[in-house]
Amino acid sequence: MASAIVVGAGVFGAALADRLVGESWDVTLVEQFSPGDPRAESGGETRLIRCSHGADEPYTRSARRAWKLWHELDPRLVVDCGVAWFAHRHDGWEAESEGVLRGLRAPVERLSPDEGAELFPDLAVDDLEFVLLEPEAGVLRAADATRALVARARDRGARLTTAAAQPAGAAVRVGPELLEADAVVWACGAWLPQLFPDVVELRVSLQGVALFDAPAVWAAPGVPAWVDFDAGLYGHALIEPHGFKAASDVDGPEVDPGTRPAQAPAAAVEEARAYVKRRFPALVDAPLRSTPSCHYSATADSSFIFAPHPRHERLWLYGGASGHGFKHAPALAEHAAAVLAGRAEPEARFALGQRRPGRGLRTAGFGRVPPHGPAA
Ligand SMILES: Cc1cc2nc3c(=O)[nH]c(=O)nc-3n(C[C@H](O)[C@H](O)[C@H](O)COP(=O)(O)OP(=O)(O)OC[C@H]3O[C@@H](n4cnc5c(N)ncnc54)[C@H](O)[C@@H]3O)c2cc1C
């Protein structure tokens, strides 16, 4: 039986451990916190799952596959509310996404601004060209989904060790012990550049989320999640117990993941509030429920990393989730497991090394100046 050590039980590591043990590998998962901990990038309340990726077909396919795999894991982890895209241009990201989705025969609807307004109890559409609705999309319960992956991996026989591991050549140091396996995968999110400083380069940024109270008429799944790509804002309807979410997708200031403040920067909350006031006028006085922080671990081109270490052939680096990785995790784990088993070649776009700068896979961040100021 082939053996694997996966370090990091965020959504990337948890999904891979679950996949490998499901393919009869002997799996040890090492995590410094508890799975779903809010200090990790996969912790916290919710993540959107959308298939639109502009003109990028492989990521669109990956999200479609992941949609199915999340439902197979547990349909209660997915809020099937759809995602509405607020298009400001006829020929922007939304139009490109629509073309790819139609090519893949995925359900998608182009609505006039007035038709789009009917999806929400109140929506300002005076600046929109159209609204693109993805019905097979929605919201994942993030911390719950991460824990569910770890729980299924353990049910299938994986071992979970709680410890901060350190690389020791191709082995893994856990306290006084050296662990070895046929494959060692470091899926350590924003901690990867600290663990492998000469190999992994990521920009770790402080991000903030605003969760508002809203009347029941704003509840998902009746009301969709939403993205305003050109404005760099996204969110979702009322999802209990969390609330109505609004957040900026624009890169925040750099931050150390180990000392990230728990609360979102005030400017990020103000930006979310201003957008809600403008786009959903009925929520102008909605009280805040919470304002958690999070961090992105971004590559230069926002494509992920899954690549062998240049000096240790059994050691793999897995991360660079770049603010949009959550939804893809189970589909990406299928690819990673196939590569580790020798059934597939690693994807060139996930390789280490120089990347051409770009943010096209994310919903924003394309060159705008981060509005939040220095990290607290
Ligand atoms: C505000 C916000 C909104 C987002 N919205 C979306 C969205 O709508 N849709 C979407 O798809 N994605 C979204 N994302 C991105 C998504 O959350 C991330 O892409 C994903 O969670 C990254 O997972 P990961 O496993 O790579 O990292 P992590 O979850 O950080 O996992 C890495 C794990 O490694 C552990 N670790 C690190 N070092 C060690 C060590 N030495 N020993 C042991 N364990 C270690 C850490 O504790 C951590 O648990 C969002 C992210 C943020 C912050």
Side-chain angles (χ1 to χ4, degrees):
M1 182 188 277
S3 60
I5 301 167
V6 180
V7 185
V11 73
F12 274 17
L16 180 58
D18 176 55
R19 183 77 208 177
L20 288 172
V21 74
E23 292 188 10
S24 302
W25 287 64
D26 177 76
V27 176
T28 302
L29 184 56
V30 186
E31 167 58 47
Q32 61 185 351
F33 308 138
S34 295
D37 189 290
R39 289 170 289 182
E41 205 171 331
S42 307
E45 64 304 319
T46 51
R47 299 291 184 271
L48 264 54
I49 175 162
R50 39 99 186 177
C51 298
S52 291
H53 282 78
D56 195 294
E57 188 179 307
Y59 273 98
T60 309
R61 282 184 189 279
S62 168
R64 292 276 300 155
R65 175 72 184 146
W67 175 254
K68 184 165 184 289
L69 293 171
W70 283 117
H71 280 86
E72 282 174 13
L73 174 63
D74 186 344
R76 292 169 301 178
L77 299 168
V78 191
V79 183
D80 284 353
C81 55
V83 172
W85 293 81
F86 302 149
H88 296 259
R89 293 173 288 153
H90 275 301
D91 57 354
W93 159 280
E94 299 82 8
E96 289 178 342
S97 298
E98 182 187 7
V100 174
L101 288 167
R102 290 198 188 285
L104 295 176
R105 299 187 184 284
V108 60
E109 294 172 40
R110 180 185 279 239
L111 306 176
S112 70
D114 287 344
E115 289 168 336
E118 287 173 18
L119 299 171
F120 296 84
D122 189 26
L123 184 75
V125 294
D126 52 298
D127 58 339
L128 302 185
E129 289 287 344
F130 66 95
V131 173
L132 191 73
L133 179 65
E134 276 189 64
E136 290 188 1
V139 179
L140 295 160
R141 294 181 180 275
D144 293 345
T146 305
R147 286 192 280 263
L149 286 166
V150 175
R152 188 170 71 177
R154 295 180 80 184
D155 285 350
R156 289 168 158 181
R159 290 174 296 281
L160 174 65
T161 299
T162 305
Q166 286 296 320
V172 178
R173 183 175 297 286
V174 175
E177 263 189 286
L178 266 193
L179 308 181
E180 291 184 88
D182 298 319
V184 172
V185 182
W186 291 83
C188 292
W191 286 266
L192 276 176
Q194 297 175 10
L195 293 162
F196 300 95
D198 58 333
V199 178
V200 180
E201 198 181 331
L202 296 173
R203 184 175 191 274
V204 179
S205 61
L206 176 63
Q207 306 297 137
V209 169
L211 289 149
F212 298 92
D213 217 352
V217 67
W218 286 92
V223 180
W226 51 272
V227 184
D228 190 328
F229 181 90
D230 286 348
L233 268 292
Y234 68 95
H236 60 62
L238 179 67
I239 294 178
E240 296 297 356
H242 309 297
F244 178 102
K245 179 171 180 174
S248 169
D249 189 38
V250 175
D251 291 343
E254 286 198 58
V255 70
D256 181 332
T259 58
R260 155 164 70 84
Q263 294 301 311
V269 178
E270 278 163 31
E271 192 184 359
R273 162 78 77 192
Y275 186 83
V276 168
K277 185 175 161 186
R278 158 91 184 88
R279 183 65 65 203
F280 309 101
L283 296 179
V284 58
D285 293 322
L288 278 167
R289 280 195 189 178
S290 65
T291 57
S293 77
C294 191
H295 58 260
Y296 288 165
S297 50
T299 60
D301 65 355
S302 66
S303 213
F304 310 140
I305 293 171
F306 178 65
H309 189 283
R311 294 185 297 281
H312 305 289
E313 75 180 279
R314 283 181 291 132
L315 194 159
W316 291 76
L317 301 161
Y318 192 21
S322 302
H324 70 112
F326 200 99
K327 68 183 85 57
H328 293 282
L332 206 52
E334 287 186 327
H335 165 68
V339 172
L340 294 178
R343 301 192 303 271
E345 288 297 313
E347 289 266 359
R349 71 191 313 183
F350 300 153
L352 295 167
Q354 285 293 104
R355 304 269 182 103
R356 185 192 294 247
R359 283 285 183 271
L361 298 165
R362 282 252 310 285
T363 54
F366 37 84
R368 281 176 46 177
V369 178
H372 310 324

